[in-house]
Amino acid sequence: MGKSRAAKIGGIVVLLIVVAGFYFSVNPSTSKYMPRCVFLTFTGYKCAGCGCQRAIHSLLHGNFIDALRFNAFFVAVLPVIALYLLNDYTKLIPAKVGETITHHYTIAAIGVVVVLWWVMRNVLDW
């Protein structure tokens, strides 16, 4: 691994630790400084990402059930996000897995699921 790649990975790890520390210590549900969803504020409907900050806070405190209540789709997609990061920055996952998760059909399917989640969480009040 080259020095620039190692520096990039190191920077990402430091950034993730800082963000995790922040979300561990600041509760988005009670903090007046955390940003609110602009889409929800203006429309009254939840976007696909509504509840992600609270879900992260809950996960960092080991409250998996609460995290699912805040945004189940986000919690379910976290492993996919981790695979993307591992594939892009470390190349530690098998090539076939990397090809599958970056394939245009996979990305299109994720996009369709995001839109379905967005609609269903408002129709069914999830």
Side-chain angles (χ1 to χ4, degrees), residues 52-112:
C52 287
Q53 294 182 96
R54 291 172 288 157
I56 291 169
H57 179 78
S58 294
L59 286 173
L60 291 171
H61 284 271
N63 300 326
F64 186 74
I65 300 301
D66 285 345
L68 287 173
R69 286 185 188 126
F70 289 128
N71 192 322
F73 178 74
F74 175 74
V75 173
V77 84
L78 278 176
V80 175
I81 294 169
L83 283 175
Y84 271 107
L85 291 173
L86 284 172
N87 183 60
D88 283 350
Y89 295 109
T90 66
K91 305 296 183 202
L92 292 176
I93 62 173
K96 194 70 172 167
V97 174
E99 291 170 12
T100 301
I101 64 173
T102 58
H103 193 275
H104 62 276
Y105 287 149
T106 304
I107 294 169
I110 291 170
V112 167

Side-chain angles (χ1 to χ4, degrees), residues 28-49:
S29 295
T30 59
S31 174
K32 62 182 177 182
Y33 301 108
M34 297 299 287
R36 303 291 178 227
C37 178
V38 175
F39 186 79
L40 178 64
T41 301
F42 287 115
T43 67
Y45 294 106
K46 296 176 186 173
C47 75

